[in-house]
Amino acid sequence: MYSVLLKRPAYALPRFYKLTRNERRFSLNSITDALRVQSGIFRIISESAPVECLQKFVINVHDVTGLPWWATIVCTTFFLRSTVTVPLALYQNFVMAKVQNAQAELIELSKELKREVAVAVKLYDWDQKTAAYNFKRSLKKQWKALIERDNCHPAKASLLIWFQLPLWVCFSVALRNLAYQLPHSHVNAELVHHDLSVEGFGWIVNLTQVDPYFVLPLSFGLINLTIIEIQAASRRGSPSKFQRFVLNFFRGVTIVMVPVAAGVPSCITLYWTTSSLYGFVQNLVLMSPKLKRWCRIPKTPNDIDKPYSHVIKGIKNKFVVSKIS
């Protein structure tokens, strides 16, 4: 028995790693093979109800419309983002505009509170600690009153990420299931897998395989980096330390996601790239002051009259500074 194991041929080793005596080589196949593993959190998500619904939904879109699979994925991505992401993005902008106006109003109220506290210090002989405590408590009450008046708790602005991120994950897993015939292999799963393998486009004929020329992964990374730079250039003034940390963090995540996108089936990368392209256009459109007024998003002190010129100028200045340095 042991002699048989020792004579086991090299091709019988697992595909995750190609091992020699003191060497372990990583390849993009390891990412693809790792995605096939149905265990732990991957299995829970793969067999979850949201993933199953999205999986059935995209199959129905393909069957009803008669579109090839690449067009089905693109159209489904546009539909999901238009019906889920865009309304929530508009609501986020609406809430944040009210919060900014409330903050501007709070600044004026804080000046009045400082005067009142100064009077109270003289009348009641408060020390510095008591005065600071009463000022902070009164300011907190005023802020709470403004938030309740305008119904704009900052937590409501986070609804977008709480819906967008799970949707992105669930639809990615749904496409993964279709590409790998998961969570259960049966006749219908084999038919869908076959259609995905022949209904590609251009240089990607088989959507169950990785992009052979890495066009989609690189496009995915460049689009996301462009979105990050546009958002950074659209702000007024210099970014804070925390804002710079967040920007660098997302830049790093974007760069890390490029090799991941290069190791997953093309149907998933197509979805990621299409979703990012939609987000790029969405961010540009939502910067329009006319659209904001049409959507009844309140004007704020931080609004820029010509946001597109401001972004172009910011990017040019950054390019010039980086070139000089």
Side-chain angles (χ1 to χ4, degrees):
M1 178 178 176
Y2 294 101
S3 60
V4 173
L5 291 176
L6 291 173
K7 294 179 180 179
R8 190 179 182 184
Y11 61 80
L13 291 174
R15 291 179 60 195
F16 290 144
Y17 297 94
K18 298 178 180 179
L19 300 176
T20 61
R21 180 173 298 177
N22 294 313
E23 184 180 14
R24 177 177 289 180
R25 297 176 182 174
F26 179 78
S27 66
L28 288 177
N29 287 334
S30 63
I31 299 177
T32 305
D33 291 337
L35 288 172
R36 296 177 184 268
V37 178
Q38 284 288 93
S39 62
I41 189 65
F42 285 100
R43 183 171 185 175
I44 294 173
I45 298 175
S46 176
E47 298 178 357
S48 64
V51 170
E52 183 180 358
C53 290
L54 286 171
Q55 198 168 326
K56 291 180 179 179
F57 176 73
V58 70
I59 291 174
N60 288 332
V61 172
H62 174 264
D63 294 342
V64 172
T65 61
L67 294 171
W69 263 108
W70 72 267
T72 300
I73 294 171
V74 171
C75 292
T76 303
T77 303
F78 273 69
F79 174 79
L80 292 175
R81 293 212 53 146
S82 299
T83 56
V84 178
T85 305
V86 171
L88 288 175
L90 289 171
Y91 182 69
Q92 182 187 53
N93 278 264
F94 178 78
V95 172
M96 290 307 299
K98 283 195 169 187
V99 169
Q100 290 176 12
N101 288 334
Q103 288 173 340
E105 190 173 347
L106 186 68
I107 293 174
E108 298 300 322
L109 290 174
S110 66
K111 295 177 181 179
E112 295 181 9
L113 284 175
K114 286 181 180 179
R115 289 193 291 265
E116 292 178 1
V117 169
V119 172
V121 168
K122 295 180 179 180
L123 290 177
Y124 305 110
D125 196 22
W126 285 351
D127 56 15
Q128 187 176 1
K129 184 177 180 180
T130 303
Y133 170 77
N134 282 280
F135 173 76
K136 290 180 180 179
R137 186 180 65 174
S138 299
L139 193 66
K140 187 176 181 180
K141 287 182 178 179
Q142 292 293 339
W143 174 247
K144 184 178 180 181
L146 291 173
I147 293 299
E148 291 177 351
R149 183 196 68 186
D150 295 337
N151 191 21
C152 60
H153 195 284
K156 293 183 177 180
S158 64
L159 286 176
L160 175 61
I161 190 66
W162 287 112
F163 279 86
Q164 184 175 356
L165 184 59
L167 177 63
W168 186 84
V169 171
C170 289
F171 194 51
S172 298
V173 175
L175 293 174
R176 163 185 172 268
N177 286 352
L178 297 179
Y180 295 146
Q181 302 180 46
L182 297 173
H184 306 291
S185 181
H186 47 75
V187 175
N188 291 336
E190 291 178 2
L191 291 174
V192 172
H193 181 271
H194 175 268
D195 290 342
L196 279 170
S197 64
V198 296
E199 294 183 5
F201 66 97
W203 67 98
I204 304 176
V205 178
N206 189 344
L207 292 173
T208 66
Q209 301 295 324
V210 300
D211 184 343
Y213 300 109
F214 307 110
V215 175
L216 287 179
L218 292 175
S219 300
F220 168 69
L222 289 174
I223 293 171
N224 283 331
L225 286 175
T226 303
I227 293 173
I228 293 171
E229 298 306 322
I230 288 177
Q231 290 178 342
S234 64
R235 296 191 179 96
R236 286 181 180 270
S238 301
S240 62
K241 289 184 178 179
F242 178 74
Q243 288 175 336
R244 287 197 295 269
F245 170 79
V246 172
L247 285 173
N248 291 329
F249 172 77
F250 281 110
R251 286 168 182 155
V253 170
T254 299
I255 294 173
V256 170
M257 285 297 296
V258 172
V260 175
V264 300
S266 297
C267 57
I268 301 176
T269 315
L270 176 62
Y271 163 59
W272 291 354
T273 307
T274 305
S275 181
S276 296
L277 183 61
Y278 191 104
F280 169 75
V281 176
Q282 173 185 303
N283 287 338
L284 289 179
V285 172
L286 291 182
M287 288 171 57
S288 171
K290 292 183 179 180
L291 179 65
K292 290 182 178 180
R293 302 295 86 80
W294 185 76
C295 295
R296 298 183 180 180
I297 297 175
K299 192 172 182 179
T300 70
N302 295 329
D303 280 353
I304 301 172
D305 295 331
K306 296 180 179 180
Y308 302 111
S309 300
H310 179 78
V311 169
I312 294 173
K313 183 179 179 181
I315 293 176
K316 284 183 178 179
N317 291 338
K318 183 175 181 180
F319 176 76
V320 171
V321 171
S322 60
K323 189 175 181 180
I324 293 175
S325 60

